[in-house]
Amino acid sequence: MLRPPRVAWVMVPAGDATESVIMQLAERFQPGDLIVDGGNSYYKDSIRRGEGLSKRQIGFVDVGTSGGIWGRQEGYCMMVGGTKEHVSRLRPIFDTLAPPEGWAHLGPGGAGHFVKMIHNGIEYGLMQAYAEGFEIMSRSRFDIDMHAVAKVWNHGSVVRSWLLELAERLFETETADLRSIQPYVEDSGEGRWTIHAALEADTPVPVIAAALFARFASRNEVNFSARVTAGLRNQFGGHEIKRPAARKLEKTGEVKPHGEKPE
């Protein structure tokens, strides 16, 4: 049983699940208590929730959290929105969960989730650029070792990054042509929200928009870049990889029924 003043950290899927949990907490909390949303909520929803809770004299802080499944060992990057009073109250939590310099108070309610939304939009573009580059190499006249490329790029190259380190791991653990990964890339909403925000601000975002549309395209055609992107999402966030069904593999010539070898 939490003693007042209480703090509850909510981290469930964006949308109805978050709305339901926060409303249930609001019914049980008292003035002076504080609710934190650490999920990937839409920033306008966070603004609305904060305003509603304020009428009950319940505090609200929105925390955009990045780090994926690796955050447990590396620490979580946290983008925080809310009043200075509420954020200061939570400082020991942020200092514990984040690596050094890994969290920042970025503005009033909604600012944390807004910045995380933009972060994820950029992530879309970065992953798509890497994926397309590897696809070009996979289709070239050269028999290029993708794992070797990712590895060498991670040592001194201007395109080195954590995502590229994950690409190196991906090519080390999966088959060379990534046929073990179905080229179906989900989008969890942040890319769409980023484009909506860009439209509201009359700001062109051709790279992020193209990356989102490439995810749509992955669901209708087989392509190598979609396999890379799907694999990278699994590497950093633990997002499920869709594996081809045996029947589909038969059609591609990778598996023959009754133990026959592919041609």
Side-chain angles (χ1 to χ4, degrees), residues 93-115:
I93 299 175
F94 299 143
D95 287 341
T96 299
L97 294 176
E101 307 296 325
W103 75 272
H105 182 199
L106 299 171
H113 282 154
F114 179 80
V115 173

Side-chain angles (χ1 to χ4, degrees), residues 23 36 38 119 143 171 175 179 186 189 207 214 239 245 253-254:
M23 289 306 299
V36 182
H119 166 282
D143 184 18
F171 288 119
T175 56
R179 286 289 176 178
E186 294 280 6
V207 172
H239 301 285
E254 295 171 56

Side-chain angles (χ1 to χ4, degrees):
M1 180 69 67
L2 294 175
R3 296 179 180 176
R6 295 165 291 194
V7 175
W9 185 296
V10 178
M11 208 153 190
V12 296
D16 292 343
T18 296
E19 188 78 14
S20 175
V21 172
I22 289 179
M23 289 306 299
Q24 290 179 53
L25 285 170
E27 293 296 328
R28 292 166 172 77
F29 271 24
Q30 302 172 358
D33 290 341
L34 179 58
I35 296 174
V36 182
D37 180 5
N40 277 331
S41 293
Y42 185 40
Y43 77 97
K44 290 185 178 180
D45 288 339
S46 297
I47 293 173
R48 172 180 56 79
R49 289 167 185 149
E51 291 173 348
L53 290 169
S54 178
K55 295 176 181 178
R56 298 172 179 252
Q57 297 182 298
I58 297 173
F60 180 77
V61 172
D62 54 290
V63 180
T65 307
S66 183
I69 58 177
W70 296 90
R72 183 175 180 180
Q73 63 190 62
E74 303 291 340
Y76 296 96
C77 173
M78 291 180 289
M79 296 141 267
V80 183
T83 67
K84 289 183 178 180
E85 175 189 356
H86 293 148
V87 173
S88 295
R89 183 172 159 191
L90 297 169
R91 179 179 290 273
I93 299 175
F94 299 143
D95 287 341
T96 299
L97 294 176
E101 307 296 325
W103 75 272
H105 182 199
L106 299 171
H113 282 154
F114 179 80
V115 173
K116 178 56 162 55
M117 176 187 75
I118 302 302
H119 166 282
N120 283 23
I122 293 170
E123 182 183 284
Y124 276 45
L126 289 172
M127 284 197 290
Q128 187 62 27
Y130 282 131
E132 291 177 6
F134 282 111
E135 178 161 25
I136 294 170
M137 289 185 285
S138 76
R139 293 174 177 267
S140 74
R141 69 180 66 185
F142 304 105
D143 184 18
I144 297 176
D145 183 336
M146 301 297 177
H147 176 252
V149 171
K151 185 175 182 178
V152 72
W153 280 356
N154 276 319
H155 292 81
S157 165
V158 296
V159 298
R160 66 187 182 275
S161 70
W162 183 52
L163 277 175
L164 192 58
E165 291 175 8
L166 296 177
E168 179 182 343
R169 178 187 295 266
L170 171 67
F171 288 119
E172 183 178 31
T173 57
E174 298 287 344
T175 56
D177 60 5
L178 301 186
R179 286 289 176 178
S180 57
I181 298 176
Q182 185 175 338
Y184 186 104
V185 185
E186 294 280 6
D187 72 284
S188 50
E190 295 91 340
R192 303 183 191 215
W193 299 341
T194 300
I195 292 171
H196 289 163
L199 291 172
E200 291 176 350
D202 295 328
T203 302
V205 287
V207 172
I208 295 174
L212 175 63
F213 296 151
R215 293 194 177 194
F216 295 163
S218 77
R219 301 163 197 179
N220 297 304
E221 61 180 278
V222 176
N223 60 66
F224 188 84
S225 63
R227 298 179 196 275
V228 175
T229 305
L232 284 176
R233 291 182 82 243
N234 172 260
Q235 288 287 327
F236 73 76
H239 301 285
E240 182 182 1
I241 288 178
K242 294 183 180 293
R243 302 290 183 178
R247 183 177 298 175
K248 191 169 184 179
L249 289 173
E250 290 172 15
K251 291 181 180 180
T252 63
E254 295 171 56
V255 175
K256 289 288 185 177
H258 310 301
E260 296 179 31
K261 295 180 179 180
E263 295 178 358

